[in-house]
Amino acid sequence: MPLLEVALRLPVAFVGAMGSMRTHVDRDRRLREAGLTEQELKRLRSPIGLDLGGRTPEETALSIAAEIVATRRGGTGRPLSEAGTPIHHSGVH
């Protein structure tokens, strides 16, 4: 928790935390009690990762990496077959 408190107050591009939805609710409560603002809490990606239906540690890592890339590059996380947009977003590096 102390690390998340610090990270959410720093100008970093991405802050995420693993755990179940129950863990997320408890974490959110504790961060609020620690005095984090609504704006700071909105920055937290929790539970981190895209819903790929994965079960293994490798699949969990892939879902987290996918969310980081999507956030960094402006992706939606939707299947490309349903996106209706260019595969490579222009202007985002």
Side-chain angles (χ1 to χ4, degrees):
M1 291 302 295
L3 180 59
L4 283 177
E5 289 177 41
V6 171
L8 290 170
R9 290 182 169 138
L10 292 174
V12 296
F14 193 96
V15 180
M18 293 178 68
S20 66
M21 285 303 295
R22 189 167 79 196
T23 298
H24 167 72
V25 169
D26 181 58
R27 181 185 298 127
D28 184 72
R29 178 188 56 76
R30 292 169 51 199
L31 289 169
R32 288 175 191 281
E33 288 172 358
L36 271 78
T37 66
E38 214 42 57
Q39 189 71 16
E40 291 166 333
L41 290 169
K42 283 182 183 180
R43 297 184 56 232
L44 179 60
R45 303 292 187 124
S46 173
I48 191 172
L50 297 181
D51 179 7
L52 303 180
R55 297 287 181 252
T56 67
E58 295 84 2
E59 292 167 339
T60 299
L62 180 62
S63 77
I64 293 168
E67 183 177 5
I68 292 168
V69 171
T71 300
R72 181 173 181 220
R73 300 290 188 179
T76 65
R78 293 177 49 208
L80 291 174
S81 61
E82 297 174 6
T85 60
I87 292 174
H88 301 288
H89 298 256
S90 61
V92 180
H93 300 287

